[in-house]
Amino acid sequence: METRVPTAWTVGAGPREEIDMSTGKVENFEVVVDGGTLTGLRVRGTTGDGANRPLVLAVHGGTYTSRYFDIEGHSLLQRAADQGFDVIAVDRPGYGGSTQLPDAPDLIQKNAEYLVPRIPALLEDFGTSAPVFMIGHSIGGAVVISMAALQPAWTLVGIAVSGVGLKTPPESAEAYAQFPQVYFVDLPAPMKDQVMFGPAETRGAGMPEASHVANTHCPLNELLDITGGWQDRVRDIAARVRVPVHARMGEHEALWITTPDLVDDFGRAFSSAGTVSSDIVRDAGHCIDFHRCGGAFQDDQLAFALKSASADVA
């Protein structure tokens, strides 16, 4: 793998421009790095003291775009900005306007290897050199763990992941194996809602319908990887993560096996991380952000980000 930091980059298709972003206002972005495009959302903190906080880099899961992190009433971007954090939510390769990668059975690792050397360009375009705290959900959580394991040259102070673990139910891999062998697959919203959400009484206002604006296609090999090869690699990858780790699973998780022993074992897999917090969030399904407890969950992640940045994690 080539790990150099790309240097050829522009905003959009033309020369780089200075962007005047109001604090607290979520903006779309497009950055071209070494001929590949990365798109997504970003916002500046509203308190004006972002220099005292790490930048939050949010990485979405499969079948969602970066909009996952900016659903009205459930927005990590707005919550973080209100607490003074600058945030970048990037569309992973093949999502939104981001360049798709060649197909491969280990697309999760390929995502990590593609993103790590390109993050400095996103930071520079945003006008910051702040340390980074990564938040990843589901397949995006697996990508974040894989990125941290690569020990990037830019300053990474910690990670928070949710909806990712050690073992999926065997029927998941069996179901994905029946899909047509194409690059992208589309999962109907009713099918997604059954596995992404907990019981109706646990769901946040407007859910699941409010989440549908973030729905999109997903590379089939991401689904095959997370239910297959990722589970063969995860312990070795986790053991190479050296920054603090915050990991959470929803009580009503449908895509992962979440016995207390497995959740604890997942935390122990981060044997080089020093500080690890691995736990189950009550009254939540796979997409914890979209449940009634979502705000408190996001606050917990952001508090961990602050502690990680100050090297004062309890």
Side-chain angles (χ1 to χ4, degrees):
M1 171 200 166
E2 186 177 33
T3 58
R4 69 184 179 87
V5 175
T7 55
W9 63 278
T10 60
V11 176
R16 181 173 183 247
E17 301 172 358
E18 293 299 324
I19 298 178
D20 180 18
M21 292 178 58
S22 301
T23 58
K25 180 180 179 182
V26 176
E27 300 276 356
N28 296 293
F29 72 84
E30 178 179 290
V31 175
V32 177
V33 189
D34 276 7
T37 300
L38 286 174
T39 61
L41 303 170
R42 61 191 183 186
V43 62
R44 295 196 189 280
T46 60
T47 63
D49 60 351
N52 297 320
R53 289 163 167 75
L55 176 136
V56 173
L57 176 67
V59 183
H60 63 84
T63 77
Y64 292 105
T65 66
S66 60
R67 183 71 186 277
Y68 175 91
F69 295 106
D70 192 38
I71 303 298
E72 185 175 357
H74 309 275
S75 173
L76 172 68
L77 272 76
Q78 202 63 66
R79 181 172 292 271
D82 288 346
Q83 295 181 30
F85 290 89
D86 292 343
V87 190
I88 297 174
V90 65
D91 289 315
R92 292 193 291 105
Y95 290 86
S98 293
T99 301
Q100 79 179 56
L101 298 178
D103 212 358
D106 60 342
L107 268 184
I108 292 171
Q109 185 65 28
K110 293 297 190 291
N111 266 246
E113 293 172 356
Y114 184 86
L115 289 171
V116 162
R118 289 166 170 79
I119 298 308
L122 297 188
L123 300 178
E124 186 173 354
D125 183 65
F126 199 35
T128 182
S129 58
V132 174
F133 182 89
M134 293 195 292
I135 292 179
H137 172 251
S138 194
I139 291 175
V143 171
V144 161
I145 294 167
S146 301
M147 291 173 70
L150 292 173
Q151 297 166 21
W154 36 273
T155 303
L156 177 65
V157 298
I159 64 173
V161 299
S162 62
V164 62
L166 294 176
K167 292 183 180 180
T168 54
E171 56 267 25
S172 296
E174 293 165 4
Y176 296 145
Q178 302 305 312
F179 280 33
Q181 296 301 299
V182 294
Y183 191 99
F184 288 116
V185 294
D186 285 291
L187 302 184
M191 176 191 296
K192 281 185 61 174
D193 293 344
Q194 288 181 7
V195 296
M196 300 295 185
F197 290 87
E201 65 272 15
T202 69
R203 301 172 184 176
M207 291 296 171
E209 292 79 12
S211 70
H212 294 171
V213 295
N215 285 356
T216 190
H217 57 216
C218 176
L220 175 59
N221 263 329
E222 285 190 4
L223 301 177
L224 296 175
D225 192 9
I226 198 68
T227 57
W230 161 258
Q231 294 172 59
D232 297 329
R233 304 189 305 270
V234 58
R235 291 181 185 275
D236 175 66
I237 292 171
R240 288 186 272 119
V241 175
R242 297 180 180 176
V243 295
V245 177
H246 181 282
R248 294 293 185 268
M249 285 285 200
E251 177 185 12
H252 302 288
E253 174 65 62
L255 296 178
W256 294 89
I257 301 173
T258 56
T259 62
D261 285 349
L262 269 181
V263 172
D264 289 345
D265 197 19
F266 183 53
R268 285 191 293 269
F270 295 93
S271 55
S272 301
T275 299
V276 181
S277 173
S278 182
D279 207 350
I280 294 173
V281 178
R282 304 299 174 190
D283 298 321
H286 181 70
C287 296
I288 303 173
D289 302 81
F290 298 156
H291 291 72
R292 292 179 184 272
C293 62
F297 162 70
Q298 292 173 351
D299 284 343
D300 194 35
Q301 291 181 313
L302 295 171
F304 191 87
L306 278 178
K307 292 179 181 179
S308 298
S310 66
D312 187 27
V313 183

